[in-house]
Amino acid sequence: MPQKVLYWKGCMSRFRTRSIADSIERLLNLLNVDYTTLGEDEGCCGSVLYRTGQTADALLVSKRTLERLSSLGVKEVVTGCPGCFRTMSLDYANFFRNVPFKVRHISQFLFDMRDELRDHLRPMKAKVVYHDPCHLGRHMGVYEEPRALIKMIPEVDLLEFKYNRNKALCCGSGGGVRSAFPEVSLEVAKSTLLELPEGTEIVVTACPFCKYNFVEGNNKKVEVIDLPELILRACGG
Amino acid sequence: MSDEWFSSKKEEFMRWLYDENRRRGLSRAVSSYTAARDYALSCLPHLEKTRKEVRKIKESAVEQMDELRKIASERITESHGNAYFARDADEARKIFLELVGNGKTVVKSKSLVTEEIHLNEALQRNGNRVFETDLGEFIIQIRGEKPTHIINPSVHVPKEEVAETFSKLVGREVKPDIPELVGVAREYLRDKFCKADVGITGANVVAASTGTLFIIENEGNARFVSNAPPVHICITGIEKIVPTLEDAFKVVQVLPPYATGILMSAYVSMITSPSRTADIEKTLVYGAHGPKELHVIFLDNGRSRMLRDPIMKEALYCLRCGGCMYECPVYRVLGGSFGHNYFGGIGIIWSAFTAGEEKVAAAIDACTKCGRCKEVCPLEIDVPKMIECLKSRLVEKGYLADKHRIIKENIMKRGNPFGE
Ligand code: SF4
């Protein structure tokens, strides 16, 4: 399958935020992308282990994953999870010599296919605000592609947090905090949502961890969805 | 290993998390800080260049920390001051106790280094009366609490509680009116300054080539403390020394806007020697209107170890502006419980070296590695990188949260953290 793109779902979207994975697959089909997934055998990129200081185990797991993908001949990985995205690009490059594939976040992938995507987008009247996920923004420098995609949807009004891009606040779930101190994680989510600009109807994230935590910390006044979910909705899905 | 290290921190977190008063105090401080800092920075566009120069200055200064400390000490001694080197907290306390003795009245201006070496407790045990004179420190001293922010130590105490505390102190009702509260502290501390035997301060930066101490402040208390009593003792970390006055002035420009959101602090004291006069017959006499004695203690206490650590070395550049704390999404909800003797991400690194890694083993698990601190730091210090490295070392020593261990086992067994 050397020509095919591998859609790497990531554990959150496989088990907790399945609708993100479903939306991405439907978008890939809509755009006639020749892709594959690893299904039940996807395994782990190592991100959570790296971020919780379990470096030796992280190396073990990520090396196995890297070898598996290499032997499958994967050349291109697309993922909706900024944690996987960061780990498979930055950490793999840092720890291993040969990484035979390139990794893109779904926002970059969709942005690169914007000409194909444009025809599918229908108007959507909504005031949305985009939250920069830490791993996608500050860690990987991806700030503009998600915004460009949102702005491509006719009639969508894109608002900004007062602190955005490299100064964006945090959803509170990164770094293993959600598992170690769930209460802290939730309070951080709530305090970030306090900063929502006036009139926000939808908070758009581009990370399953952010989505999950914002849904939990949400006071029900706004809708929280992930970028591929928003795009799919705009495509009439 | 028992999980005391984790559960006790968790309890402390919960006390902060659900204490509405503290959270209110904190969030008021955060919003006034960020607004003021943004305005200050917009007024001082050249600071973009200066802060980068300061980074360069610190990069090379910490490499010669030992050398600079020797030069500074020589200069201080030449100008009739006394310089000391304390390898650790214990040595520093001994020097203090010898200099201060017992039965003395001591006034202090804010210094986190004295907090680091537990100075107040040691002085009090020796029968001395110690008065904190920085308003924030004063408030928490009489409340019997610990500082929770390096610049604004009482950031978690809202005015209503300050009023209560002050009412008890002066034995009459004080209203939660901020100017009135400030007035109470002013009145109470006024004669302490003049009657004190010893004044203790820290220093924000030291210029080695002249042995000059810089103390930056807004209240004017550090001026009193370093000037009114007959003896001034200053303690500072060896990483605060830069080669020249010119270098020090650059640091002085960067600190105030990032620390408190002002263009320049109300007062910058530069102290190079004890007070002196030769006005009568050209005969030099020490102790004219200022102190007769100046003692400067340079503290290592883990700093050289930091320097030898290629990843953690960067922490030595920290100016202690405290900006990253206000900007930290986790500090905003956990305040002073997020750290140990220093706070926030950078504080976790500093606490690890000055108090012991195990002291922050649990606090570090509250860091989301969001990376915001690095973006707002005037010196762009890569705190997240250091945090990740420290966490990894702690895990090797066995400090692994139960939940994180289960996640690992699930990944190893089932290929995903949920074990499903
Ligand atoms: S790390 Fe940077 S922002 Fe934080 S206190 Fe130090 S100098 Fe200031």
Side-chain angles (χ1 to χ4, degrees):
Chain A
M1 57 160 216
Q3 299 314 317
K4 280 190 182 172
V5 173
L6 171 68
Y7 166 44
W8 176 276
K9 293 185 181 177
C11 58
M12 272 303 272
S13 298
R14 282 171 61 210
F15 296 100
R16 291 290 179 272
T17 52
R18 289 201 180 85
S19 61
I20 297 179
D22 293 345
S23 305
I24 291 179
E25 291 208 64
R26 289 177 62 189
L27 281 171
L28 294 175
N29 286 328
L30 189 71
L31 296 170
N32 294 316
V33 177
D34 194 11
Y35 79 96
T36 181
T37 71
L38 296 178
E40 291 298 300
D41 299 324
E42 187 177 280
C44 172
C45 71
S47 174
V48 252
L49 295 172
Y50 282 111
R51 308 284 90 81
T52 55
Q54 310 189 68
T55 317
D57 299 299
L59 283 169
L60 202 80
V61 166
S62 54
K63 186 153 180 282
R64 261 193 242 145
T65 298
L66 174 62
E67 282 167 0
R68 210 153 36 89
L69 298 194
S70 306
S71 71
L72 287 172
V74 174
K75 293 272 175 290
E76 271 232 61
V77 176
V78 174
T79 180
C81 175
C84 303
F85 174 47
R86 182 223 138 112
T87 301
M88 293 172 112
S89 357
L90 285 192
D91 296 299
Y92 283 19
N94 185 22
F95 289 110
F96 310 113
R97 220 168 291 142
N98 287 316
V99 183
F101 46 81
K102 78 170 197 188
V103 190
R104 272 183 290 173
H105 183 254
I106 188 68
S107 61
Q108 296 172 304
F109 186 85
L110 292 176
F111 180 74
D112 291 343
M113 294 198 72
R114 59 192 174 280
D115 293 333
E116 290 88 334
L117 181 64
R118 200 180 313 269
D119 299 335
H120 298 279
L121 295 169
R122 301 184 200 155
M124 190 170 143
K125 252 198 137 23
K127 285 189 175 17
V128 311
V129 67
Y130 174 65
H131 163 77
D132 291 277
C134 305
H135 281 84
L136 188 61
R138 277 183 289 264
H139 291 216
M140 295 302 295
V142 178
Y143 298 112
E144 300 311 325
E145 290 89 333
R147 291 181 165 80
L149 288 168
I150 295 170
K151 282 196 221 148
M152 273 170 55
I153 304 172
E155 290 179 33
V156 153
D157 195 358
L158 176 63
L159 309 174
E160 291 286 354
F161 278 104
K162 176 163 177 226
Y163 294 102
N164 56 61
R165 296 181 170 81
N166 68 331
K167 300 281 164 60
L169 286 162
C170 171
C171 78
S173 69
V177 179
R178 214 172 57 81
S179 44
F181 299 113
E183 301 86 349
V184 175
S185 181
L186 192 63
E187 286 300 312
V188 173
K190 284 187 192 158
S191 74
T192 295
L193 289 175
L194 283 180
E195 310 268 327
L196 280 179
E198 273 289 309
T200 303
E201 289 158 353
I202 306 177
V203 184
V204 183
T205 66
C207 171
F209 288 90
C210 298
K211 181 187 167 184
Y212 192 85
N213 229 35
F214 280 150
V215 167
E216 297 236 312
N218 189 4
N219 47 12
K220 299 262 168 13
K221 275 192 236 113
V222 289
E223 188 186 4
V224 181
I225 60 176
D226 208 61
L227 182 67
E229 296 173 314
L230 178 83
I231 305 285
L232 184 70
R233 188 185 294 178
C235 292
Chain B
M1 191 189 288
S2 96
D3 82 335
E4 226 300 292
W5 63 277
F6 190 83
S7 54
S8 60
K9 195 67 192 180
K10 180 161 182 156
E11 270 170 37
E12 194 189 343
F13 280 170
M14 295 308 122
R15 281 201 298 277
W16 270 86
L17 218 46
Y18 303 121
D19 184 328
E20 274 182 32
N21 276 343
R22 283 181 180 177
R23 290 280 297 273
R24 190 177 330 125
L26 205 55
S27 76
R28 281 180 192 159
V30 166
S31 41
S32 40
Y33 165 79
T34 47
R37 188 225 29 222
D38 291 349
Y39 173 72
L41 292 182
S42 75
C43 297
L44 302 168
H46 69 279
L47 264 195
E48 269 304 290
K49 186 165 150 263
T50 318
R51 70 176 178 87
K52 292 194 172 110
E53 289 167 349
V54 169
R55 164 129 191 155
K56 288 265 161 341
I57 291 168
K58 295 294 284 185
E59 278 174 6
S60 87
V62 302
E63 294 295 342
Q64 348 155 31
M65 220 157 56
D66 231 29
E67 194 46 37
L68 291 174
R69 197 247 315 153
K70 283 178 193 146
I71 297 172
S73 303
E74 262 170 47
R75 294 295 187 273
I76 290 165
T77 317
E78 277 166 23
S79 12
H80 216 262
N82 299 283
Y84 310 80
F85 177 50
R87 264 172 211 87
D88 53 29
D90 205 42
E91 278 190 24
R93 280 191 305 265
K94 280 198 187 113
I95 297 170
F96 266 109
L97 289 180
E98 231 160 76
L99 290 172
V100 176
N102 46 40
K104 302 281 168 50
T105 299
V106 177
V107 283
K108 281 182 71 203
S109 64
K110 181 171 53 209
S111 146
L112 272 186
V113 174
T114 61
E115 200 69 45
E116 180 185 321
I117 64 165
H118 302 288
L119 179 63
N120 288 12
E121 296 87 324
L123 290 174
Q124 281 158 350
R125 250 187 320 223
N126 237 31
N128 298 293
R129 302 211 308 152
V130 182
F131 295 94
E132 293 289 352
T133 65
D134 169 85
L135 180 56
E137 290 277 358
F138 177 65
I139 292 168
I140 58 167
Q141 187 188 29
I142 45 184
R143 289 168 64 88
E145 294 180 12
K146 288 255 155 228
T148 55
H149 187 274
I150 62 171
I151 297 295
N152 189 348
S154 64
V155 62
H156 60 288
V157 192
K159 60 182 182 217
E160 294 77 10
E161 288 193 23
V162 177
E164 237 171 78
T165 307
F166 280 8
S167 302
K168 273 187 216 137
L169 179 76
V170 297
R172 67 179 161 84
E173 207 207 308
V174 181
K175 281 198 280 330
D177 168 66
I178 295 173
E180 189 177 330
L181 295 169
V182 176
V184 169
R186 179 187 164 103
E187 200 181 306
Y188 183 86
L189 287 171
R190 193 114 299 228
D191 77 325
K192 307 285 185 294
F193 289 118
C194 299
K195 289 191 183 135
D197 304 292
V198 180
I200 296 174
T201 71
N204 299 94
V205 54
V206 178
S209 60
T210 55
T212 305
L213 316 169
F214 285 70
I215 306 172
I216 308 175
E217 54 147 349
N218 292 312
E219 293 180 12
N221 63 313
R223 294 219 137 170
F224 265 131
V225 169
S226 61
N227 201 51
V231 177
H232 171 204
I233 311 176
C234 168
I235 180 164
T236 190
I238 47 177
E239 87 287 2
K240 294 275 174 61
I241 313 172
V242 295
T244 65
L245 283 171
E246 209 177 321
D247 297 327
F249 277 119
K250 295 215 165 111
V251 176
V252 170
Q253 292 175 63
V254 173
L255 261 171
Y258 281 93
T260 49
I262 49 175
L263 306 191
M264 181 43 68
S265 297
Y267 307 106
V268 179
S269 303
M270 294 168 60
I271 298 169
T272 312
S273 78
S275 144
R276 50 198 271 173
T277 178
D279 277 4
I280 307 179
E281 294 186 7
K282 274 280 164 236
T283 303
L284 192 58
V285 170
Y286 288 91
H289 298 285
K292 199 176 180 155
E293 291 174 30
L294 169 68
H295 303 274
V296 183
I297 303 169
F298 291 111
L299 178 71
D300 188 324
N301 203 30
R303 289 157 174 84
S304 302
R305 220 160 20 91
M306 251 184 207
L307 180 63
R308 288 192 300 271
D309 192 320
I311 303 221
M312 305 297 184
K313 182 167 83 177
E314 218 185 327
L316 289 167
Y317 310 160
C318 174
L319 305 178
R320 308 286 201 289
C321 72
C324 59
M325 281 147 240
Y326 285 129
E327 292 286 5
C328 168
V330 177
Y331 180 85
R332 286 178 177 191
V333 301
L334 288 179
S337 62
F338 186 39
H340 183 66
N341 54 328
Y342 293 95
F343 315 106
I346 188 76
I348 284 177
I349 304 299
W350 271 93
S351 303
F353 278 83
T354 58
E357 287 181 2
E358 69 288 353
K359 296 284 194 332
V360 291
I364 202 170
D365 280 336
C367 172
T368 65
K369 284 93 175 171
C370 78
R372 207 164 183 258
C373 46
K374 185 183 170 206
E375 300 292 330
V376 298
C377 172
L379 270 64
E380 296 169 31
I381 296 175
D382 197 344
V383 178
K385 188 169 97 197
M386 293 187 271
I387 289 283
E388 212 154 275
C389 171
L390 177 62
K391 178 64 208 170
S392 172
R393 291 179 194 175
L394 282 162
V395 169
E396 271 170 39
K397 290 186 176 170
Y399 293 102
L400 179 62
D402 268 351
K403 286 278 178 49
H404 291 164
R405 186 182 40 77
I406 294 167
I407 284 175
K408 178 193 72 188
E409 289 165 4
N410 286 337
I411 290 175
M412 293 307 185
K413 261 188 265 157
R414 317 277 321 226
N416 72 75
F418 312 107
E420 288 172 19

